[in-house]
Amino acid sequence: MLSIKAISSSSVASHYYSEADYYAQDGNEDIASTWHGDGAKKLGLDGEVDSTQFKAMLDGQLEDGTQVGRSNDDGEREHKKGWDFTLSAPKSVSVLALAGGDKRLIAAHNDAVSTALEHLEANYSITRQQVNGEIKEVLTKNLIIASFTHTTSRAMDPQLHTHNVIMNLTQRPDGEWRSLESRRMYDVSKKIGQVYRNELAAKVRALGYDIEADATKGTFDISAVPEDVRKGFSKRRAEILAAAKEYGYRTAKGMDNAAVRTRSAKHHSNQEALLGAWADQLNRLGYEPETHIKTARDRQQRGDVATPTKEHQAADLEFARSHLAEREAVFTAGELQEQTLRVGLGGSTIGSVEDAIAKEVEIGKLVPATMRNGRVDVPAYTTPAAIRKEQYIISLMQRGKRDVSRIAGRSHISALIDDRGFTTGQASEVRLLLSSKDRVVGVQGYAGTGKTYMLSAVREVAEGKGFKVTGLAPTGSAANLLQEETGIT
């Protein structure tokens, strides 16, 4: 899973992220800190994270004296520090990797984290820049990320997770260092979490393990770890769920509140005591991870591991494309990628999905397009079927111009508008719908602008003139809402 937290204090963050991990006290290099991102490379940040450099990056201070941020009304420099994108392995992976000692899984987690961060950097590192007098959002393709891999939850259960601290710094194409437009990263947080899980699932299978995938949730676990063992090592999760039930929390924000209410400082321990406690719990649960680890290693060595074929990956994409095309004529590249990853969990990775999409574009099953998202155009796709449908609608509109009589006269319409107290927009659309001689008329109204109130009045007038009014909607819920609020069957 992926969780995001804004960082408010560089000094507090420096202390927390530099804490030693108990599992790593034997000098395990797989459990360490490291710099990620092309932005870090540009500044010569490499290898283990230095606490002084880490704090300087959070404060927006570069070695050449550049201070990123803006001055407030008091002349003081303000700079948002950054964001902690924490990627956590499924509980079954943590149990086998940490309590069971299969360090191959730690390496798989680290590789999956790197892939997710690389995708985030390549596609969603956005800042603002003035171009020809207009402020535009630009893709920089460089981030500065300090990653810290930890191995325990606050309840001291095995929990393999990596804190990826994304600095609020990026270098624009003109060479200037500026703050990030963080909303883009928040918007795709679910997708980045899915990129991580798919990459990890593929690597776990390659290591000889079978997995249980839930395409609905986009999650997986290793089949060799029973549910009672997963729950037995999920005491922190149980605390949060209990608090959520007690306080009536049901939303994601509520779960965050439950986590805060039950949060306590991590218990101090040492590696020997920690591993001993995990071994005791494994004995109580009657579970021997060594047996399953050996079975997986043997399968890997024999090459007895199912490798996803391009045909399977293409089928995953086709299913995802059809699912999205049922609901939207145009969908973003990110939506298509995320949906395909969910469907293909355990087989498809972000790399294979991108390759499959490129192939469908090449053979004409997908048509490249763009969609406006805020101030930036984002890559999108449509399908030949959607284009044909739109062409048909346009031709239908063109053939139907001035093809019918108006529903009501001007005086009738004006009286209706005066009586109902419509807004300017509602009045304009009522006039259009009731006085047009075109067979097809299009009206667009945003949420909360009173479309149903306007349509209810149109229905009454049309029915009064002898017309039968029928409503059509793309989903059952939309059809029910249309009928309830307008009286249109």
Side-chain angles (χ1 to χ4, degrees), residues 20-247:
D21 190 279
Y22 307 121
Y23 184 86
Q25 289 173 357
D26 64 349
N28 187 340
E29 293 182 357
D30 291 327
I31 309 296
S33 65
T34 187
W35 290 104
H36 278 107
D38 196 52
K41 292 178 182 176
K42 290 174 181 291
L43 296 176
L45 302 172
D46 190 25
E48 188 173 349
V49 178
D50 174 79
S51 60
T52 301
Q53 292 176 322
F54 179 63
K55 186 177 183 301
M57 292 299 101
L58 285 171
D59 289 333
Q61 298 174 346
L62 306 184
E63 282 191 354
D64 63 2
T66 299
Q67 172 66 63
V68 177
R70 59 183 179 183
S71 298
N72 59 23
D73 294 338
D74 298 327
E76 297 177 346
R77 178 68 65 172
E78 291 182 344
H79 178 68
K80 290 183 179 179
K81 307 301 180 184
W83 306 270
D84 178 357
F85 278 53
T86 301
L87 288 162
S88 302
K91 181 58 67 175
S92 56
V93 173
S94 294
V95 169
L96 290 174
L98 304 173
D102 189 351
K103 294 184 178 181
R104 299 177 307 158
L105 291 170
I106 299 176
H109 163 78
N110 289 337
D111 288 344
V113 168
S114 296
T115 297
L117 296 179
E118 288 166 4
H119 187 75
L120 178 69
E121 178 180 55
N123 297 277
Y124 305 106
S125 52
I126 305 291
T127 190
R128 295 182 180 185
Q129 183 174 345
Q130 189 173 48
V131 180
N132 297 326
E134 181 183 357
I135 300 297
K136 292 188 175 182
E137 292 185 350
V138 294
L139 177 65
T140 65
K141 295 190 176 184
N142 66 85
L143 293 172
I144 303 171
I145 309 170
S147 296
F148 305 83
T149 299
H150 289 177
T151 56
T152 57
S153 68
R154 287 182 177 273
M156 300 309 289
D157 285 323
Q159 185 56 58
L160 182 60
H161 61 283
T162 301
H163 295 277
N164 302 289
V165 183
I166 300 177
M167 310 299 168
N168 189 21
L169 289 167
T170 190
Q171 190 176 43
R172 294 191 316 205
D174 63 2
E176 295 292 323
W177 288 91
R178 290 294 184 267
S179 300
L180 285 162
E181 180 55 63
S182 62
R183 183 167 60 87
R184 299 292 173 217
M185 298 191 296
Y186 275 87
D187 287 347
V188 297
S189 59
K190 288 184 178 180
K191 178 191 174 185
I192 299 304
Q194 198 63 57
V195 170
Y196 161 76
R197 288 190 295 275
N198 276 65
E199 195 73 23
L200 180 59
K203 291 182 181 299
V204 165
R205 291 186 66 188
L207 294 175
Y209 291 104
D210 291 325
I211 68 168
E212 299 169 359
D214 185 338
T216 303
K217 297 180 180 178
T219 58
F220 80 95
D221 264 298
I222 296 177
S223 304
V225 183
E227 187 175 357
D228 64 324
V229 175
R230 299 174 207 165
K231 288 184 175 179
F233 281 103
S234 300
K235 293 188 286 294
R236 177 65 182 139
R237 178 66 175 168
E239 291 172 354
I240 294 172
L241 290 175
K245 183 177 181 180
E246 178 182 353
Y247 295 103

Side-chain angles (χ1 to χ4, degrees), residues 292-309:
H292 302 288
I293 293 172
K294 183 179 184 306
T295 299
R297 286 183 179 275
D298 289 344
R299 288 183 64 185
Q300 182 191 30
Q301 290 174 0
R302 292 195 309 269
D304 184 20
V305 177
T307 303
T309 64

